[in-house]
């Protein structure tokens, strides 16, 4: 990860430090021009797997990429939605980079970018599909009910809310300790420094997310993403969670 992060095109250690001492919005504004050269961008392998898993669940006309960043999820929406793909994010800098990327990809559907807080979406029930990739760490567990209720509100009856979810690493894995160290460092940072920078990898787990999705009025299905294999116990290494707003 470090080798990928600290390339000549990616952010320097100093730039990352400045970002980490900023608010979430300001931090991503600063990181935006180099974001796609960091390991924080959702890998193409995940985007391709999501696209393949979503196609049989369509057809979809209008899609929303929640917390779109520079538009990785927009790439999925442009492949599966026939009419419109909308990206929403709080960071003006990330949206600006997304617009630049979108301008280099010709063809339908229509693409729109909206600056807004995901906890107060400025839309009615206009979408058949909402996706989100890698954004849930920016919301504390107490904010999930508001976030999921907003998604429910902007979906048409029968609309889908889909996101990938990687199985947690076991304590025997080095990644387990890397993520634990990162989250611990962020907790300490937020105790000592203002404004807070909310980014935690470990709290968002399937059981808690599923419970809140059901409470928000969704039905929930799990789709294994076979491209990523299975763990020793036979469970998928990565799933696509599909929450559906029931038909009324």
């Amino acid at each position: 990860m470090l080798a990928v992060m600290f390339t000549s095109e990616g952010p320097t250690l100093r730039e990352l430090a400045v970002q980490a001492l900023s608010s979430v919005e300001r931090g991503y504004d600063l990181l935006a021009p180099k974001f796609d050269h960091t390991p924080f961008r959702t890998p193409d392998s995940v985007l391709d797997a999501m696209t393949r898993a979503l196609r049989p669940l369509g057809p979809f006309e209008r899609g929303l990429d929640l917390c779109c960043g520079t538009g990785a999820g927009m790439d999925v929406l442009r492949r599966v939605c026939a009419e419109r793909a909308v990206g929403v994010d709080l960071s003006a800098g990330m949206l600006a980079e997304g617009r630049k990327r979108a301008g280099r990809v010709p063809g339908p559907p229509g693409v729109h970018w909206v600056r807004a807080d995901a906890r107060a979406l400025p839309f009615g029930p206009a979408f058949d599909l909402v996706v989100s990739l890698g954004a849930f760490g920016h919301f504390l567990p107490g904010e999930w009910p508001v976030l999921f209720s907003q998604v429910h509100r902007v979906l048409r009856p029968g609309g889908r809310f889909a996101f990938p979810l990687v199985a947690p690493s076991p304590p025997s894995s080095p990644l387990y300790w890397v993520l634990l160290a990162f989250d611990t460092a962020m907790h300490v940072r937020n105790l000592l420094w203002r404004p807070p920078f909310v980014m935690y990898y470990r709290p968002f787990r399937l059981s808690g997310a599923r419970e809140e999705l059901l409470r928000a009025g969704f039905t929930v299905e799990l789709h294994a993403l076979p491209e990523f294999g299975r763990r020793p116990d036979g469970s998928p290494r990565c799933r696509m969670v599909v929450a559906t707003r029931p038909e009324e």
Side-chain angles (χ1 to χ4, degrees):
M1 178 181 289
L2 292 177
V4 175
M5 185 183 298
F6 297 111
T7 64
S8 59
E9 295 180 300
T12 64
L13 184 59
R14 180 182 181 279
E15 287 171 332
L16 287 171
V18 172
Q19 181 215 6
L21 294 176
S22 305
S23 67
V24 175
E25 179 183 350
R26 177 59 178 157
Y28 276 101
D29 284 347
L30 294 170
L31 183 61
K34 298 183 178 181
F35 180 82
D36 286 343
H37 300 290
T38 73
F40 305 131
R41 182 185 182 276
T42 304
D44 288 343
S45 59
V46 175
L47 303 180
D48 293 342
M50 285 278 291
T51 301
R52 284 189 289 269
L54 283 169
R55 277 179 175 147
L57 304 180
F60 303 109
E61 296 296 322
R62 297 182 179 186
L64 176 69
D65 183 2
L66 187 72
C67 304
C68 64
T70 59
M74 294 286 277
D75 293 342
V76 175
L77 295 181
R78 294 182 75 162
R79 296 183 221 173
V80 302
C81 294
E83 180 182 332
R84 182 176 300 175
V86 178
V88 63
D89 201 279
L90 190 61
S91 167
M94 298 289 273
L95 290 169
E97 292 300 315
R99 290 188 185 97
K100 291 179 187 177
R101 290 182 71 249
R104 297 192 290 268
V105 182
V111 176
H112 304 271
W113 305 85
V114 177
R115 184 174 179 270
D117 190 326
R119 295 161 294 193
L121 293 172
F123 312 109
F127 299 99
D128 309 295
L129 175 64
V130 176
V131 300
S132 191
L133 296 127
F136 295 119
H138 293 303
F139 301 94
L140 298 172
E143 297 175 300
W144 299 351
V146 172
L147 181 67
F148 294 158
S149 68
Q150 286 292 295
V151 176
H152 189 278
R153 184 178 60 80
V154 303
L155 280 169
R156 295 169 175 169
R160 315 269 195 169
F161 175 32
F163 54 89
L165 191 59
V166 178
S169 301
S172 58
S173 167
L175 182 59
Y176 174 92
W177 297 102
V178 169
L179 297 182
L180 177 60
F182 180 92
D183 284 5
T184 301
M186 292 304 296
H187 279 293
V188 173
R189 177 254 187 247
N190 288 334
L191 284 173
L192 300 176
W193 193 268
R194 291 290 184 274
F197 190 94
V198 177
M199 180 64 226
Y200 300 110
Y201 282 100
R202 300 175 72 249
F204 195 80
R205 293 289 183 263
L206 177 59
S207 58
R210 186 174 189 170
E211 180 179 343
E212 293 298 344
L213 287 165
L214 293 171
R215 188 171 291 145
F218 289 101
T219 62
V220 180
E221 299 176 341
L222 305 177
H223 298 254
L225 297 179
E227 296 88 343
F228 302 100
R230 294 187 174 271
R231 301 198 297 173
D233 64 2
S235 61
R237 294 188 185 277
C238 187
R239 293 181 171 97
M240 181 176 71
V241 179
V242 179
T244 302
R245 175 175 175 173
E247 296 280 358
E248 297 175 354

